[in-house]
Amino acid sequence: MSRIAPAEGRSGQQTDGAGHAIQPVVDWEIVNRSIQVVLSAFAADVQARWPYIKPRLDQTLTHLLLFSYCAFEVPSAPRIDPVIAGIDFARSQSGRGIVIRADLSGEESGEVWLELPPREVAEVQDAICAAGEELARQLSTRAEEIHTALHKQDPVVCP
Amino acid sequence: VYRRGNLTAKQFTPREDDTRAEPGAAPGISTDRTLEDGVKGQRIDLGQLPAGFGAFEDDPAEGGTEGHITIAPVDENGAIHQQRLEEWARSRDSGDEHELTRLLLEAVVEKNVRGPR
């Protein structure tokens, strides 16, 4: 078995011929923060409408880049599969761009409730942030889908 | 193999229920050789599992499920490290990401794949 190298948290990180670090192309922590601002507002909206739905804002940063998300869960019914509003960033097949995908899907079941058309942008910080925020804003208009996905699992606990 | 669901720390941390063996199945994180139609999952290459993990295939003859494989921490002899598994499961709702969760997330070689329609 071979061990996988831990994530650097950044992409494009290289050294020059003298071993000096070259400024990274994308700082994924900054990208995540920009997405989380949009998802935080979405979470507040959902919670105001359905107070029993609790948001869990988080990120997963690995060698496969960033997955920034908000999980909507019902703590009083832990068997209900939380709905993830997720923005995923991955390298394009050509390796020269970043593909950004957004969906609403079950954290454990993997059931996809809503999927937005993906976007592909150049590996440039501002472009990645702008496209990711735009997809997060589009997801943020779909609060009803979050509620419906939870309601279908337990109409009593999630009226 | 595929871990059904999203690439979140919680989904890559076992539940308390996962620490108990079922007939024909070892305890641990559940994965499957295939993904159901349209379902989202995370692909893990068992050949690239980090050291300290083992993969255990169900035995259908003993009541397990065909194509179901569990991933669990193992000891130096390759046997499931039950104490470590239970410690890992206890971290699930703590809000802190356990080191085994981090290692398993990094073992994903293809993220957010969909089962064939």
Side-chain angles (χ1 to χ4, degrees):
Chain A
M1 288 186 286
S2 61
R3 191 172 184 137
I4 296 171
E8 296 288 345
R10 293 160 185 242
S11 72
Q13 200 163 43
Q14 297 172 329
T15 55
D16 61 19
H20 300 121
I22 296 171
Q23 191 66 21
V25 177
V26 176
D27 186 326
W28 290 102
E29 293 291 354
I30 291 174
V31 175
N32 180 58
R33 282 199 291 274
S34 76
I35 301 303
Q36 295 280 307
V37 167
V38 180
L39 293 180
S40 293
F42 183 31
D45 175 41
V46 170
Q47 219 181 354
R49 297 171 68 177
W50 301 285
Y52 55 84
I53 301 176
K54 303 295 182 197
R56 171 169 36 97
L57 289 148
D58 209 343
Q59 58 156 327
T60 301
L61 192 55
T62 72
H63 66 286
L64 297 176
L65 308 186
L66 174 68
F67 180 54
S68 184
Y69 64 92
C70 180
F72 293 95
E73 55 195 359
V74 183
S76 61
R79 286 292 165 187
I80 292 180
D81 184 24
V83 177
I84 300 287
I87 311 291
D88 182 63
F89 300 82
R91 291 202 184 286
S92 65
Q93 286 194 331
S94 70
R96 289 193 294 273
I98 298 293
V99 177
I100 309 169
R101 294 184 172 84
D103 66 29
L104 301 178
S105 56
E107 181 169 33
E108 297 177 20
S109 66
E111 182 168 357
V112 178
W113 298 93
L114 171 76
E115 190 172 31
L116 298 178
R119 294 274 309 274
E120 183 169 344
V121 297
E123 193 170 346
V124 175
Q125 178 104 21
D126 290 349
I128 293 170
C129 283
E133 288 171 23
E134 174 54 30
L135 285 173
R137 277 193 289 274
Q138 288 181 35
L139 274 191
S140 299
T141 65
R142 313 304 286 264
E144 287 290 347
E145 273 92 339
I146 302 275
H147 173 254
T148 299
L150 297 170
H151 173 80
K152 279 183 177 172
Q153 296 181 63
D154 192 331
V156 176
V157 176
C158 306
Chain B
V1 296
Y2 298 93
R3 173 66 170 163
R4 199 167 62 164
N6 272 278
L7 190 68
T8 66
K10 205 164 188 177
Q11 181 60 1
F12 277 71
T13 306
R15 288 177 176 276
E16 190 187 343
D17 290 355
D18 298 327
T19 65
R20 292 186 283 273
E22 299 290 332
I29 291 267
S30 281
T31 67
D32 292 281
R33 291 206 180 275
T34 57
L35 264 182
E36 300 110 306
D37 294 355
V39 162
K40 184 176 172 181
Q42 316 299 326
R43 189 165 76 82
I44 297 169
D45 183 344
L46 293 180
Q48 293 184 30
L49 269 185
F53 282 101
F56 302 86
E57 186 147 22
D58 277 22
D59 182 355
E62 295 290 327
T65 304
E66 187 81 43
H68 179 257
I69 291 158
T70 52
I71 296 173
V74 294
D75 62 21
E76 60 274 14
N77 298 316
I80 290 175
H81 196 314
Q82 187 66 27
Q83 190 180 347
R84 188 104 165 104
L85 176 61
E86 290 171 7
E87 168 208 304
W88 185 18
R90 280 195 297 273
S91 75
R92 194 168 195 272
D93 294 313
S94 69
D96 294 324
E97 189 176 283
H98 194 280
E99 62 172 320
L100 295 179
T101 299
R102 167 55 33 193
L103 286 169
L104 200 54
L105 285 167
E106 286 291 348
V108 172
V109 294
E110 190 180 3
K111 62 179 179 174
N112 300 326
V113 294
R114 296 280 291 275
R117 285 194 178 278

